[in-house]
């Protein structure tokens, strides 16, 4: 999704904002911890989509290619935005996903289950962090709204397959 200047989120309130969150405090900082959880959820969902796509028969893969690449692009944009926000707060993004059980309830979930879990993670974080950091809340709300649309689109695409 192309961004223009009017939709781009400001990642830093002021040049001194990054000074307020030192990397050493990132483990105890609930905002950074939450952003890293969302980052890991996005990365896990991305991997879930890739696995499911390459398990499809070749004909189905060709039919799904455009939607698949669009989904992956959005997941990557979300992961990038989360990582940039973590860095703007003066911490390092934690790209390690850990074991699948830490991020997703069980390994080898369907893309729909992965998207539902990622959506639930954003919803949880929005409630938990609502008044702690307005910039992060704005970013999470934007990502949540996009995640909601992506989840609905995926449900629509899968409806014929689920009905049979």
């Amino acid at each position: 999704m192309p961004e223009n200047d009017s939709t781009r989120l400001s990642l830093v309130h002021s040049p001194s904002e990054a000074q307020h969150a030192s990397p050493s405090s990132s483990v105890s900082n609930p905002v950074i911890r939450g952003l890293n959880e969302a980052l890991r959820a996005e990365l896990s969902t991305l991997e879930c989509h890739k696995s499911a796509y390459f398990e499809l028969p070749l004909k189905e893969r060709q039919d799904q290619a455009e939607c698949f690449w669009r989904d992956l692009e959005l997941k990557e944009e979300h992961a990038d935005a989360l990582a940039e926000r973590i860095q703007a707060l003066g911490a390092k993004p934690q790209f390690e996903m850990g074991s699948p059980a830490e991020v997703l309830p069980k390994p080898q979930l369907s893309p729909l289950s992965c998207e539902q879990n990622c959506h639930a993670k954003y919803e949880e974080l929005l409630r938990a962090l609502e008044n702690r950091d307005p910039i992060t809340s704005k970013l999470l709300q934007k990502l949540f709204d996009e995640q909601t649309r992506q989840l609905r689109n995926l449900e629509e695409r899968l409806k014929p397959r689920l009905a049979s």
Side-chain angles (χ1 to χ4, degrees):
M1 172 169 42
E3 287 187 351
N4 60 39
D5 289 337
S6 66
T7 60
R8 189 176 309 243
L9 293 173
S10 169
L11 293 177
V12 180
H13 272 302
S14 67
S16 64
E17 181 185 24
Q19 296 169 356
H20 296 299
S22 68
S24 62
S25 69
S26 65
V27 174
S28 62
N29 183 325
V31 173
I32 293 171
R33 192 172 53 248
L35 287 167
N36 273 309
E37 288 174 16
L39 175 60
R40 287 190 297 275
E42 286 288 0
L43 294 173
S44 293
T45 303
L46 190 135
E47 289 302 315
C48 185
H49 276 283
K50 284 181 185 178
S51 295
Y53 176 76
F54 288 109
E55 289 174 8
L56 291 173
L58 184 59
K59 172 67 174 124
E60 236 181 295
R61 217 181 301 157
Q62 292 168 336
D63 294 342
Q64 296 288 325
E66 183 180 332
C67 294
F68 167 77
W69 292 113
R70 190 175 52 239
D71 290 346
L72 283 187
E73 185 177 79
L74 187 60
K75 293 281 116 192
E76 289 172 349
E77 287 173 9
H78 286 187
D80 288 345
L82 292 163
E84 287 173 6
R85 181 65 186 146
I86 292 165
Q87 288 176 323
L89 290 171
K92 288 187 177 184
Q94 297 174 357
F95 292 105
E96 311 81 33
M97 290 187 290
S99 72
E102 290 176 21
V103 181
L104 301 172
K106 64 180 185 176
Q108 304 289 309
L109 291 175
S110 71
L112 181 59
S113 296
C114 291
E115 289 293 346
Q116 289 167 334
N117 289 335
C118 194
H119 188 267
K121 176 55 71 181
Y122 279 119
E123 197 168 40
E124 172 190 328
L125 288 172
L126 279 167
R127 277 193 312 272
L129 303 177
E130 68 182 323
N131 294 322
R132 292 181 188 256
D133 178 1
I135 298 294
T136 298
S137 293
K138 186 176 179 180
L139 172 64
L140 290 173
Q141 186 63 56
K142 175 185 179 280
L143 298 179
F144 175 78
D145 292 345
E146 291 174 358
Q147 181 68 33
T148 300
R149 282 190 296 277
Q150 186 175 22
L151 181 56
R152 285 188 189 135
N153 290 340
L154 184 58
E155 288 170 339
E156 286 297 314
R157 287 197 324 254
L158 294 176
K159 230 180 230 181
R161 193 181 311 165
L162 296 174
S164 56

